[in-house]
Amino acid sequence: MQQVKALVFDVFGTVVDWRSGVARELAGYLSAIGRTDLDPFLLADAWRRRYQPAMEECRSGRRPFTRLDVLHRENLEAMLGDHGVTGCKASDLDALNLAWHKLDPWPDVLLGLHRLKRKYFLAPLSNGNIALLANMAKRARIPWDAILGAEPVQAYKPQPEAYLRTAELLAMQPHEVCLVAAHNGDLRAARAAGLATAFIPRPVEHGAGQTIDLTAEDPWDCVAADFVDLAARLGAG
Amino acid sequence: MQQVKALVFDVFGTVVDWRSGVARELAGYLSAIGRTDLDPFLLADAWRRRYQPAMEECRSGRRPFTRLDVLHRENLEAMLGDHGVTGCKASDLDALNLAWHKLDPWPDVLLGLHRLKRKYFLAPLSNGNIALLANMAKRARIPWDAILGAEPVQAYKPQPEAYLRTAELLAMQPHEVCLVAAHNGDLRAARAAGLATAFIPRPVEHGAGQTIDLTAEDPWDCVAADFVDLAARLGAG
C-alpha cells in the first residue's frame, strides 16, 4: 500500500446501502399506486438481480456499452411486470429509476472519506454512470475528487479494462491505485489487473440473512472494519 | 436561465489564471537550469499558442483524440526548442508539464462557486483532461460536483459534440445546461449547440495589454462581473 496514490471505491454496497434506499423509494411508489401488498425489499432484491445479466449483455459485446441508468430503467419495468405491476406511467417509472441516485452512505463513510482525502486521491470506480454517481455524491455530500467508473472508460467491472483504463485516466500505474470494495469478486478482478486491494465487510448489504462476502476470502493488501478503520490503517486517521 | 440546472465552466482563463501559474512554474525551471535570461511569461504565451493547433489535429480527424496532458507535453518540448532550450531531462519536462495541474483560481472563484453549488450542479467543461482538472480542483479546493470536459466526451471544444455529449452525460437537455466562460467564441459554439450562456470578463488573462474578450460581444443569457456577481444574478447569492 506504500505506493498507492489513489483510492477508488466500489459504490453499491461498499459506499451506500442500496437495498434500504431502493426499498424506501419503491415503498413510496407502491403506496401511491395502492399496492402495499407487495414487499418493497423483495422488489429491491428482484430489481438488483437483473443488474449483472443486463451488464453481461454489454460485456459480451452482444450490446454496445449502455449506461446503467438505461439498464436500470429497463430492469425496473421488467421486474414490476414479473410482480404483476403493469400499466405504470412512464414518467413515474423515470422518477422511480432515480432511486439509485438517492442512496445513503453507510454511517462510517463520510468521516472516513474526509480523513482519507487528506492523503489520497478519491474517486468511485462503480458500474454506475456519471450522472448517477455525481447526483448521489451531491445529495449525500460524498467528497470525491473526481467521478470515475464504467461510463468514462466504457467498460463494466469486472472487465479488466474497467480497472486499467481508470488507472490510465488518473495518469497512474495500476499498482498506484487501490480498489476498496465489500465484494471479494471485484477485488479479485482488480488484483488480476494489477491494482492494490482493500476489503471492508458490509454484512447486511443483502439484509439480515446475508451469506456472501462476510469476510476477506483472499489475502487482500488491507482489510478494515469500515472506512474510519481504513483511514487509521492507512495512516490517514 | 430559469430552466438551467447545471453550470459548466470553461477553466483556463475563466476559472484559473493559467498565464501567471504557468509562468511561475517555468520560472522555477529556468532558474534551475541557469536560463534566467528567458522571460517566463513570454514562454508561457508561446506554450499556450501551440494549444489550439495541437487540438485542431484531433478535431480535424488527422489524429485520434489525444488527452491534453500529452499535447501539452509535446508542445512544451517544441516551445523550449524554439527558444534554444534543448537537452532537457525527460523527467524534468514531465514534472514541468504538471504546471497546468497547479493553477490558481481567480480571487472570486471559490466564494462564487460555493454559493452557486447550493442551487446548481457544477462541473468544468474544459479541454483539460480528467486528471489535470481533478488534480487542479483538489489542490485549489474547487468544489465541482463532477469532472467533465473533453476527455469523457472525446471531443475538443468548440466541436458541437463537446457541448452536446456533456449535456447527455448529465442526463439533461442542452438548454438545461449553461456554459460560463470568459471567451465569446466558446459561448458562440455553446449557444449553437443549444446551451444557455454566461459571460464573465477576465481582462488580464493574457496580461496587461489584453485586447480580446474584454466585453460580451453577443447578447448572452447572463453577463456578470465575476463569479460572486454571477451567483447574485442567478439568485444563489
Side-chain angles (χ1 to χ4, degrees), chain B residues 16-35:
Chain B
V16 296
D17 176 5
W18 62 267
R19 188 169 182 263
S20 300
V22 169
R24 176 190 67 213
E25 299 294 319
L26 281 167
Y29 179 66
L30 294 170
S31 174
I33 62 168
R35 289 300 304 269

Side-chain angles (χ1 to χ4, degrees), chain A residues 67 117 120 138 145 168, chain B residues 67 117 138 145 168:
Chain A
R67 74 180 55 155
K117 187 173 168 115
Y120 296 100
K138 189 171 180 78
D145 290 309
E168 201 208 339
Chain B
R67 75 180 54 156
K117 188 174 168 114
K138 190 172 180 77
D145 290 308
E168 202 207 339

Side-chain angles (χ1 to χ4, degrees), chain A residues 5 116-122 143 145, chain B residues 133-142 144:
Chain A
K5 297 193 287 186
L116 290 162
K117 187 173 168 115
R118 294 181 210 143
K119 183 166 176 181
Y120 296 100
F121 189 100
L122 305 182
D145 290 309
Chain B
L133 296 168
N135 288 337
M136 174 196 287
K138 190 172 180 77
R139 174 182 174 279
R141 299 177 180 270
I142 303 172
W144 302 128

Side-chain angles (χ1 to χ4, degrees), chain A residues 173-212:
Chain A
Q173 297 297 314
H175 69 271
E176 295 175 319
V177 179
C178 177
L179 178 72
V180 181
H183 308 129
N184 287 283
D186 197 0
L187 293 172
R188 274 182 210 110
R191 174 171 277 181
L195 275 68
T197 50
F199 177 82
I200 309 277
R202 294 300 188 191
V204 295
E205 173 187 352
H206 297 282
Q210 182 169 329
T211 56
I212 59 167

Side-chain angles (χ1 to χ4, degrees), chain B residues 38-228:
Chain B
L38 291 167
D39 176 351
F41 284 93
L42 187 144
L43 265 55
D45 290 337
W47 195 355
R48 181 68 169 179
R49 268 196 300 277
R50 291 177 167 273
Y51 171 68
Q52 290 296 344
M55 290 187 296
E56 191 55 31
E57 290 298 301
C58 301
R59 292 190 197 108
S60 67
R62 288 190 293 271
R63 182 177 185 176
F65 181 85
T66 305
R67 75 180 54 156
L68 190 61
D69 272 344
V70 174
L71 304 181
H72 272 157
R73 179 66 176 75
E74 295 170 357
N75 292 346
L76 170 61
E77 197 152 350
M79 177 279 288
L80 288 173
D82 285 347
H83 292 83
V85 181
T86 54
C88 306
K89 276 177 61 181
S91 59
D92 284 351
L93 298 189
D94 291 344
L96 185 51
N97 198 45
L98 299 180
W100 298 91
H101 295 219
K102 292 182 270 187
L103 303 176
D104 292 320
W106 300 103
D108 51 285
V109 165
L110 295 184
L111 179 57
L113 289 181
H114 276 285
R115 291 180 177 176
L116 289 162
K117 188 174 168 114
R118 294 181 210 142
K119 183 167 176 179
Y120 296 101
F121 189 99
L122 304 182
L125 172 41
S126 164
N127 284 332
N129 50 294
I130 293 174
L132 184 162
L133 296 168
N135 288 337
M136 174 196 287
K138 190 172 180 77
R139 174 182 174 279
R141 299 177 180 270
I142 303 172
W144 302 128
D145 290 308
I147 303 291
L148 302 178
E151 192 174 26
V153 297
Q154 299 279 299
Y156 278 120
K157 295 189 294 179
Q159 287 183 291
E161 293 80 5
Y163 309 95
L164 292 170
R165 289 184 194 153
T166 295
E168 202 207 339
L169 280 182
L170 289 167
M172 294 181 193
Q173 298 297 315
H175 69 272
E176 295 175 319
V177 179
C178 177
L179 178 72
V180 180
H183 308 129
N184 288 283
D186 197 358
L187 293 172
R188 274 181 210 110
R191 174 171 277 180
L195 275 69
T197 50
F199 177 82
I200 308 277
R202 294 298 189 191
V204 294
E205 173 187 353
H206 297 282
Q210 182 168 328
T211 56
I212 59 167
D213 286 322
L214 295 173
T215 59
E217 295 167 8
D218 285 322
W220 306 123
D221 300 307
C222 183
V223 176
D226 61 24
F227 280 26
V228 175

Side-chain angles (χ1 to χ4, degrees), chain A residues 12-206:
Chain A
F12 301 122
T14 302
V15 174
V16 297
D17 177 4
W18 62 267
R19 188 169 182 265
S20 300
V22 168
R24 176 189 67 215
E25 299 295 319
L26 281 167
Y29 179 66
L30 294 170
S31 174
I33 62 169
R35 290 300 306 269
T36 49
D37 56 306
L38 291 168
D39 177 350
F41 284 93
L42 186 145
L43 265 56
D45 290 337
W47 194 356
R48 182 67 170 180
R49 267 197 302 278
R50 290 178 169 274
Y51 171 68
Q52 289 295 343
M55 290 188 296
E56 191 56 30
E57 290 298 301
C58 301
R59 291 189 198 108
S60 67
R62 288 188 294 271
R63 181 178 186 176
F65 181 85
T66 305
R67 74 180 55 155
L68 191 60
D69 272 344
V70 174
L71 304 182
H72 272 156
R73 180 66 175 76
E74 296 169 357
N75 291 347
L76 170 60
E77 198 152 350
M79 177 278 289
L80 289 173
D82 286 346
H83 292 83
V85 182
T86 54
C88 304
K89 276 177 61 182
S91 60
D92 284 350
L93 298 189
D94 291 345
L96 186 52
N97 199 44
L98 299 180
W100 299 91
H101 295 219
K102 292 182 270 186
L103 303 176
D104 292 320
W106 300 104
D108 51 284
V109 165
L110 295 184
L111 179 58
L113 289 181
H114 276 286
R115 290 181 177 175
L116 290 162
K117 187 173 168 115
R118 294 181 210 143
K119 183 166 176 181
Y120 296 100
F121 189 100
L122 305 182
L125 173 41
S126 164
N127 285 331
N129 50 295
I130 293 174
L132 184 161
L133 296 168
N135 287 338
M136 175 196 287
K138 189 171 180 78
R139 174 181 174 278
R141 300 177 179 270
I142 304 172
W144 301 128
D145 290 309
I147 303 291
L148 302 178
E151 192 174 27
V153 297
Q154 298 279 300
Y156 278 120
K157 294 189 296 179
Q159 286 183 293
E161 293 81 4
Y163 309 94
L164 293 170
R165 290 185 194 152
T166 295
E168 201 208 339
L169 280 181
L170 289 166
M172 294 180 192
Q173 297 297 314
H175 69 271
E176 295 175 319
V177 179
C178 177
L179 178 72
V180 181
H183 308 129
N184 287 283
D186 197 0
L187 293 172
R188 274 182 210 110
R191 174 171 277 181
L195 275 68
T197 50
F199 177 82
I200 309 277
R202 294 300 188 191
V204 295
E205 173 187 352
H206 297 282

